[in-house]
């Protein structure tokens, strides 16, 4: 076998120019694949993180069925006790209590239905971008202080500004009358029209008083130290929850994919379009490899005829063509992966600024650059596909050696 490998290596460099041209195409393709795949891999965590920071989380605990019908009656009882137990058991997690409800808000000029989010200001500053998007006034202070912040479009619809008051009315969980007077202390703008047009925030204590929900919340948002640990903590929390609860309530732990199915669908759609583009690029390269090997087989027909005449088996010639292609594939894979890693590694440090990223980053409180994400999978998967594909398509030229007759082959020109 070592003799066949040595023979294949020598055969490759009988036509150096052709070999280098083929290798050059493979190296360029592999370098491009590594850069594009690592770049794409870097966009997804940023997309997920930025979406979750608007007003979501990596994990969420709520009553069973709350996601389908987010009603006040589907609440978490004794929430402060549960939060304390979770923080004690999992100190590495950020546990953020939140509540959601609807009220009719009336200013001196207009009345508008609004979504009210009850939050703990100190914890919300660590988990959401809304506290950083205050354009007028300031963010909420803790305690039952009747403060409220409004989305920019909602404030315009109500024709109010910082310092004005709103009268809010609605129904409590038990069907009673919920009412209060809130003072506008801040206006935020996230750049998302639907959010800015409907959403307001009050302190969780104020929310619980207005809606008659003492020591109760709609949900607990939870953030893990990293996205890679989300599945682990989801299982741990779901297993431990029954031991924390003093009631028969059935709570469920949802991950970010269940909370935001649109993100997952967007990633899958982007992956599908990218796979098509990658497939076209790989196909062009491996067809070039097949053409190179087919020309090499035809040019070496007399050589193969002599080898057959001195006792070589057709299967040996077949294997030799595949070995030559495999050697080119390995060289192209290693050099392409190395070069691609160098390029992607550089940009993973300095980042890539895309047109318009500065404005988007300013809106959402994020950076204006995308950083490629290097991993063994993102670096090797593209070059490995090119290598394997090249060997597979070289089967066709290799099959040409199986039908050769020694005499006719040696007489070929």
């Amino acid at each position: 076998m070592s003799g066949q490998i040595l023979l294949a290596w020598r055969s490759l460099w009988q036509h150096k120019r052709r070999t280098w041209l083929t290798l050059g195409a493979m190296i360029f393709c592999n370098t491009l694949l590594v850069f594009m795949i690592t770049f794409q891999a870097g966009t997804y965590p940023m997309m997920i993180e930025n979406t979750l920071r608007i007003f979501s989380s990596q994990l969420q605990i709520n009553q069973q069925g709350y996601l389908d019908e987010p009603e006040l009656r589907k609440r978490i009882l004794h929430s402060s006790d549960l939060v304390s137990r979770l923080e004690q058991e999992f100190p590495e997690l950020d546990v953020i209590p939140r509540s959601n409800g609807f009220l009719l808000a009336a200013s001196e000029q207009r009345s508008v239905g609004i979504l009210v989010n009850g939050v703990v200001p100190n914890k919300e500053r660590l988990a959401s971008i809304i506290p950083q998007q205050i354009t007028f006034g300031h963010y909420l202070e803790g305690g039952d202080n009747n403060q409220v912040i409004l989305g920019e479009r909602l404030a315009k619809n109500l024709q109010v500004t910082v310092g004005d008051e709103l009268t809010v009315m609605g129904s409590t969980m038990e069907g009673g009358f919920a009412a209060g007077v809130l003072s506008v202390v801040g206006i935020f703008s996230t750049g998302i029209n639907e959010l800015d047009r409907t959403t307001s925030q009050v302190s969780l204590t104020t929310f619980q008083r207005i809606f008659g929900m003492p020591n109760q919340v709609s949900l607990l948002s939870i953030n893990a130290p990293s996205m890679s640990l989300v599945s682990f903590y989801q299982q741990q929390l779901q297993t431990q929850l029954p031991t924390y609860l003093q009631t028969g309530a059935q709570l469920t732990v949802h991950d970010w994919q269940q909370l935001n199915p649109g993100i997952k669908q967007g990633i899958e759609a982007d992956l599908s379009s990218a796979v098509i583009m990658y497939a076209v690029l790989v196909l062009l390269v491996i067809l070039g490899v097949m053409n190179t090997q087919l020309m090499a087989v035809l040019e070496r027909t007399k050589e193969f005829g002599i080898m057959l005449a001195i006792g070589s088996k057709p299967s040996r010639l077949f294997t030799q063509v595949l070995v030559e292609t495999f050697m080119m594939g390995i060289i192209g894979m290693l050099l392409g992966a190395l070069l691609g890693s160098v390029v992607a590694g550089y940009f993973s440090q300095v980042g890539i600024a895309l047109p318009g990223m500065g404005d988007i980053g300013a809106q959402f409180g994020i950076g204006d650059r995308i950083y490629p994400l290097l991993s063994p999978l993102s670096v090797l998967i593209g070059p490995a596909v090119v290598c394997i594909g090249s060997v597979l398509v070289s089967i066709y030229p290799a099959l040409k050696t199986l039908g050769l007759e020694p005499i006719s082959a040696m007489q070929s020109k």
Side-chain angles (χ1 to χ4, degrees), residues 48-153:
I48 295 169
E49 180 182 354
N50 295 337
T51 303
L52 298 184
R53 285 182 62 201
I54 294 173
F55 196 73
S56 187
S57 56
Q58 297 170 357
L59 294 168
Q60 188 181 106
I61 299 175
N62 49 40
Q63 273 277 15
Q64 202 167 35
Y66 178 82
L67 286 185
D68 299 324
E69 296 180 7
E71 303 173 349
L72 285 176
R73 61 183 179 86
K74 296 179 180 178
R75 78 281 190 200
I76 300 175
L77 302 175
H78 310 294
S79 59
S80 59
D81 297 335
L82 179 56
V83 170
S84 298
R85 292 290 301 273
L86 290 174
E87 290 179 337
Q88 181 180 359
E89 185 74 21
F90 303 98
E92 68 276 17
L93 299 180
D94 293 327
V95 183
I96 307 138
R98 289 167 172 164
S99 289
N100 301 318
F102 292 92
L103 291 171
L104 178 66
S107 65
E108 293 183 359
Q109 305 296 328
R110 290 184 179 180
S111 298
V112 176
I114 63 173
L115 169 65
V116 182
N117 302 135
V119 299
V120 179
N122 290 337
K123 292 190 175 184
E124 203 65 22
R125 287 187 175 93
L126 303 175
S128 172
I129 67 168
I130 290 180
Q132 286 79 47
Q133 303 306 308
I134 301 295
T135 55
F136 299 99
H138 60 82
Y139 192 61
L140 300 170
E141 299 173 354
D144 187 1
N145 48 28
N146 292 321
Q147 295 180 350
V148 64
I149 62 170
L150 306 174
E152 187 175 48
R153 288 180 175 269

Side-chain angles (χ1 to χ4, degrees), residues 353-370:
L354 300 179
M357 277 296 294
D359 296 335
I360 297 175
Q363 281 186 348
F364 290 93
I366 60 177
D368 60 350
R369 292 176 176 270
I370 295 178

